[in-house]
Amino acid sequence: MDQHADSAIGPEVPLVHGVTDYFKKSIPNIHVFGPSKHAARLEGSKTFAKDFMAKFNIPTARYKNFNNYQEAKQHVDEVRYDVCIKASGLAAGKGVILPTSKSEAQDALKRIMVLREFEDAGNEVVIEEYLRGDELSFLTFCDGYTIRSLPAAQDHKQLNDGDCGPNTGGMGAYAPAPIATPELVEEIHRTVLQPTVDAMRRSEAHAFVGILFTGLMITEDGPKVLEYNVRFGDPETQTLLPLMSMDTDLAEIMVACTEGRLDGVQLETTSSSSVTIVAAAGGYPESYRKWDPININQNHTLTEDDHIFHAGTALTEGSLITAGGRVIAATSTADSLTVALTQAYNIMESIDWPGMHYRKDIAHRALKATAPSQPTHPETGMTYAGAGVSISAGNELVERIKAHVKSTARLGASGDLGGFGGVFDLAKAGYKEVPYLVTGTDGVGTKLQIAQAINTHDTVGIDLVAMNVNDLIVQGAEPLYFTDVFTCSRLDVSIAEDVIKGVCHGCKEAQCALVGGETAEMADFFVFGRYDVVGACTGAVARGRKLLPDTDAMKDGDALLGLASDGCHSNGFSLIRKIVKKANLAYSDPAPWNKHQTVGQSLLTPTRIYVKPLLRLLEKGLVKGMAHITGGGLWENVPRMLPKSLAAELDAALWQCPAVLKWLKQAGRVNDHEFARTFNTGLGMILVVDASVADEAQRQLLESGERVSRIGHLVQRRVEGCMVRNMNSWNCDIVPS
């Protein structure tokens, strides 16, 4: 072996078994970055660590150690505070149980000491007080005298959102943690970290050389140690090392630790934020699944700030499969925590396997801590902002959108915000008699996921309005007023403003007023960075006019006019996203069907609003019925406007199917029937008109700027309410625009 070799020992097991001592004895000149066997007992034996902290006045929870099951049982029965049960030895990060009752505590003892769930690691147990507060993790370089710490990180030990479920080795982390103020960091170094290193050298006669991982709880009484590790901890290491500056050499720091000169080197970190999200196999941390194939979208764009760490994975015949409990970690750094979070979750969404599980609320404490009015001391009481809901952010949004909302004002509605409800005056809108009122509600669906993936939010509001007003106009109703609901994990005012600007744009196009809305923050319900929008619209049909469809007036031979769609509109996006993923396309890639746009930009083309041209036809009484082609496609929407005695006979060769829809059909190998049930096939609206006025109706629509085709006629119904001939025309060559 090289007499001048260097070694950095990572796993805890060889350190606890004395590999550092062995190397130093066998190779006198070797530099070993890792503590001695005696110093490694800080992790190898929790009973030793607790006694060590008690002996040297290092703050920790009150505790008692046991190697006798009956005595441990009795202690649990007698103790008057909530407890945490720890197997003393190494248990791969799973030996800590957080019972919520006496019976659960007794069950934990039985599992550890009688059933030997953790084998020899459970020969002794620590029963300690359950501490409450915020956790912090410190990774500290040590040369036995001097210490240098990386920024404080916050881990997420429990399996499920809201810090629920069993303890794990860590489901994610972020840094720096906002709670780690300079004053608190100084206190932790002064009362915990430096005393630990000093005591190990002075009283235990074993200088601690290597990395000291210290998990702490920041309680009302100050910081208290939860645990020591004697190596780089997971997932904090994945989070913290990317924060080291380019001027800092990790190898140089390690060598300096082994040579006792850490005080002569600098540890510099950037001002960025870093986030790590861990994905686990189904069943973890109990018995978990293995050997599931892992699918990774190879076209998901990783930047130099993004990293994917493999843990429980393996390669079998060239395929990546799961082979452990915690399988993969995604890390991203950025100038802000919110951006780093979004990037890390985007990485995780590009990875998939059966049973995959990851938390959706990583950094939830930091997001609450940075919300306005968050109390800094428990005695000041809890706040709504502290629960993740920022009233001030909501107020800021209202101020930003007031002018946009005002621009939607029309006769009958002022467009002002601030009341408890929206008011509409039918008389001022020109309705002398009480009209028929028609109302509808709809959303945008999973098209929103594309908007959120490419951070483009100013078109989905148009979709929201279109999906509602188009449903009203087919019943002959003039849209009058609109309301919306924007629901999110945490309110990003700029994103919400973009969405509402789109809503206002759509309302102006449809000539209806935006009279009110709701913004709801649901931090513990939605994945961070995600939102949903829902809208409702009310319209009117004047007395004396017929509500549509006028099925009594329809007859065999009536003409069918098709108004062209602007692409996918807002339906079929669950299938669209799967087809794009299967084709290994990223949303940032050039669209195969449109050389001037990316995939994401093209797919976000908003739903066309048909209100103005159709109101002109309604004024002239030219329309008997209309169908808005949305979910269910031709097969379900066309029959909804027809009497049971009639059917629509369409000829697909008579209208143009957009290139994007043809590409989706071919790339997804979607059969004709499924295609016509899922997508609009190029038709946003289908109208029933008398054959004698079909040319006039078509002329007026063309003058209004619509692309309109005569696509078929009504026939006597035999079985189906809609029949389409020449569907093979959807399979012809795609001509990119």
Side-chain angles (χ1 to χ4, degrees):
M1 211 173 192
D2 186 347
Q3 293 297 304
H4 299 283
D6 296 325
S7 178
I9 311 299
E12 65 272 27
V13 174
L15 289 169
V16 169
H17 288 161
V19 70
T20 296
D21 302 330
Y22 174 80
F23 277 176
K24 286 187 173 181
K25 182 178 179 181
S26 303
I27 313 168
N29 293 326
I30 193 172
H31 292 143
V32 182
F33 183 80
S36 66
K37 180 178 182 179
H38 184 85
R41 294 181 70 196
L42 287 174
E43 179 172 3
S45 171
K46 292 182 177 63
T47 56
F48 170 83
K50 294 294 288 189
D51 289 343
F52 174 90
M53 287 183 269
K55 180 179 179 180
F56 298 109
N57 296 315
I58 295 168
T60 189
R62 46 186 165 168
Y63 74 100
K64 197 166 184 181
N65 299 330
F66 294 92
N67 57 19
N68 182 282
Y69 173 60
Q70 294 300 328
E71 292 176 1
K73 278 186 62 179
Q74 183 178 346
H75 179 72
V76 167
D77 285 336
E78 295 173 351
V79 76
R80 295 181 179 273
Y81 49 78
D82 293 337
V83 298
C84 171
I85 312 292
K86 298 180 176 180
S88 179
L90 298 178
K94 303 174 187 176
V96 177
I97 300 175
L98 307 175
T100 59
S101 64
K102 292 277 189 182
S103 62
E104 285 187 15
Q106 293 290 6
D107 179 66
L109 282 176
K110 185 175 182 180
R111 288 167 55 193
I112 295 172
M113 303 189 78
V114 178
L115 301 179
R116 296 181 59 77
E117 189 169 303
F118 305 113
E119 300 179 351
D120 289 347
N123 289 342
E124 287 185 290
V125 297
V126 177
I127 302 175
E128 68 178 30
E129 179 184 10
Y130 177 79
L131 298 178
R132 289 175 171 82
D134 282 301
E135 287 192 46
L136 282 180
S137 301
F138 278 81
L139 284 178
T140 305
F141 292 95
C142 311
D143 68 359
Y145 295 83
T146 303
I147 59 175
R148 294 279 189 272
S149 294
L150 290 164
Q154 197 160 61
D155 188 12
H156 298 66
K157 288 291 187 187
Q158 288 175 277
L159 181 68
N160 299 321
D161 290 357
D163 297 321
C164 298
N167 236 38
T168 71
M171 295 301 296
Y174 67 96
I179 192 176
T181 62
E183 295 78 14
L184 179 59
V185 172
E186 188 279 329
E187 179 183 358
I188 290 169
H189 278 76
R190 174 171 45 83
T191 63
V192 175
L193 302 178
Q194 193 66 57
T196 297
V197 174
D198 290 344
M200 186 57 71
R201 182 187 71 253
R202 292 170 181 168
S203 300
E204 299 294 319
H206 283 268
F208 190 100
V209 175
I211 197 82
L212 178 66
F213 174 103
T214 309
L216 302 109
M217 183 71 76
I218 311 305
T219 72
E220 293 182 15
D221 299 323
K224 295 186 177 183
V225 177
L226 296 174
E227 64 172 346
Y228 292 118
N229 289 167
V230 297
R231 34 78 196 187
F232 285 106
D234 168 43
E236 289 88 346
T237 300
Q238 294 96 313
T239 306
L240 289 169
L241 290 187
L243 294 179
M244 294 176 65
S245 74
M246 296 299 291
D247 297 328
T248 298
D249 189 327
L250 177 60
E252 181 183 357
I253 292 173
M254 289 179 166
V255 172
C257 288
T258 66
E259 294 178 348
R261 54 178 182 84
L262 184 59
D263 59 348
V265 298
Q266 293 298 315
L267 174 57
E268 302 286 347
T269 57
T270 69
S271 60
S272 299
S273 292
S274 181
V275 174
T276 298
I277 302 164
V278 174
Y284 175 82
E286 305 300 332
S287 177
Y288 51 80
R289 297 172 55 140
K290 287 186 179 181
W291 325 130
D292 285 315
I294 300 174
N295 300 308
I296 298 179
N297 184 351
Q298 299 294 337
N299 282 311
H300 178 83
T301 304
L302 290 178
T303 71
E304 61 181 8
D305 298 321
D306 299 330
H307 308 277
I308 297 177
F309 295 97
H310 291 246
T313 65
L315 278 174
T316 299
E317 297 180 353
S319 297
L320 191 66
I321 61 173
T322 65
R326 290 184 298 164
V327 179
I328 274 179
T331 297
S332 189
T333 59
D335 290 337
S336 72
L337 177 61
T338 54
V339 174
L341 271 168
T342 299
Q343 292 174 177
Y345 274 114
N346 284 341
I347 296 171
M348 199 54 76
E349 288 181 1
S350 72
I351 304 169
D352 182 54
W353 67 81
M356 175 182 175
H357 172 79
Y358 59 93
R359 285 183 59 160
K360 313 300 190 300
D361 67 343
I362 299 302
H364 66 92
R365 299 183 194 91
L367 298 178
K368 291 178 182 178
T370 55
S373 302
Q374 173 73 4
T376 56
H377 299 287
E379 60 268 20
T380 63
M382 300 176 72
T383 69
Y384 206 19
V389 180
S390 174
I391 294 174
S392 61
N395 292 336
E396 180 186 351
L397 174 62
V398 171
E399 290 301 315
R400 287 203 197 181
I401 64 175
K402 275 185 176 179
H404 303 300
V405 175
K406 186 76 173 177
S407 71
T408 71
R410 54 154 292 162
L411 291 176
S414 66
D416 290 329
L417 294 177
F420 287 100
V423 177
F424 193 91
D425 189 329
L426 288 168
K428 288 184 178 179
Y431 291 90
K432 296 179 180 179
E433 294 184 70
V434 178
Y436 299 104
L437 293 180
V438 181
T439 189
T441 186
D442 210 337
V444 180
T446 59
K447 187 175 186 177
L448 292 173
Q449 292 196 348
I450 298 176
Q452 292 160 23
I454 69 172
N455 198 30
T456 300
H457 311 280
D458 56 357
T459 61
V460 292
I462 301 173
D463 286 300
L464 184 64
V465 175
M467 295 299 289
N468 282 274
V469 298
N470 287 343
D471 278 352
L472 295 192
I473 195 69
V474 299
Q475 296 178 81
E478 173 197 13
L480 299 177
Y481 59 86
F482 191 84
T483 56
D484 61 44
V485 179
F486 181 92
T487 313
C488 56
S489 58
R490 183 176 180 188
L491 182 60
D492 185 313
V493 175
S494 295
I495 290 175
E497 181 185 11
D498 279 350
V499 174
I500 303 305
K501 283 166 63 177
V503 170
C504 294
H505 180 97
C507 284
K508 288 189 287 185
E509 178 67 22
Q511 300 177 317
C512 65
L514 179 58
V515 299
E518 167 70 5
T519 302
E521 286 185 280
M522 302 169 67
D524 296 331
F525 189 83
F526 278 84
V527 175
F528 177 81
R530 297 291 182 254
Y531 64 82
D532 192 18
V533 286
V534 176
C537 192
T538 298
V541 179
R543 294 285 172 176
R545 286 190 180 175
K546 282 196 172 184
L547 289 164
L548 295 185
D550 185 1
T551 55
D552 292 339
M554 294 182 188
K555 63 181 185 297
D556 191 343
D558 280 347
L560 295 171
L561 302 181
L563 277 64
S565 69
D566 283 344
C568 301
H569 283 187
S570 297
N571 293 101
F573 274 85
S574 293
L575 177 58
I576 289 170
R577 291 182 299 107
K578 284 187 176 295
I579 293 172
V580 169
K581 183 176 181 179
K582 180 183 176 184
N584 286 324
L585 279 176
Y587 294 128
S588 58
D589 289 341
W593 57 86
N594 187 334
K595 59 186 177 182
H596 302 295
Q597 289 184 304
T598 66
V599 172
Q601 290 169 342
S602 177
L603 292 176
L604 285 185
T605 300
T607 305
R608 191 171 184 84
I609 294 174
Y610 299 97
V611 171
K612 289 180 182 178
L614 293 181
L615 281 175
R616 289 183 61 190
L617 292 190
L618 292 173
E619 288 284 341
K620 297 181 181 297
L622 298 178
V623 182
K624 297 181 180 182
M626 293 183 271
H628 182 201
I629 310 304
T630 58
L634 300 176
W635 306 134
E636 294 188 18
N637 289 292
V638 174
R640 291 167 68 183
M641 67 171 172
L642 302 177
K644 295 189 180 299
S645 60
L646 295 173
E649 186 174 276
L650 309 178
D651 186 344
L654 297 177
W655 74 86
Q656 182 66 44
C657 182
V660 58
L661 293 178
K662 287 183 178 180
W663 182 88
L664 289 166
K665 186 177 190 300
Q666 293 182 18
R669 300 176 65 187
V670 182
N671 66 48
D672 292 340
H673 188 275
E674 182 70 13
F675 182 68
R677 184 174 67 174
T678 305
F679 301 113
N680 62 54
T681 73
L683 299 173
M685 283 278 181
I686 295 179
L687 281 55
V688 178
V689 301
D690 196 280
S692 64
V693 299
D695 289 342
E696 173 63 14
Q698 188 169 1
R699 182 186 65 79
Q700 292 205 21
L701 289 169
L702 289 170
E703 287 179 355
S704 297
E706 295 300 319
R707 292 159 290 150
V708 58
S709 305
R710 191 162 177 170
I711 60 173
H713 57 276
L714 296 187
V715 298
Q716 291 296 316
R717 185 183 300 201
R718 293 182 175 83
V719 179
E720 303 296 337
C722 181
M723 300 167 288
V724 182
R725 294 185 289 112
N726 294 319
M727 288 189 287
N728 62 326
S729 64
W730 298 329
N731 302 319
C732 60
D733 292 340
I734 301 167
V735 180
S737 57

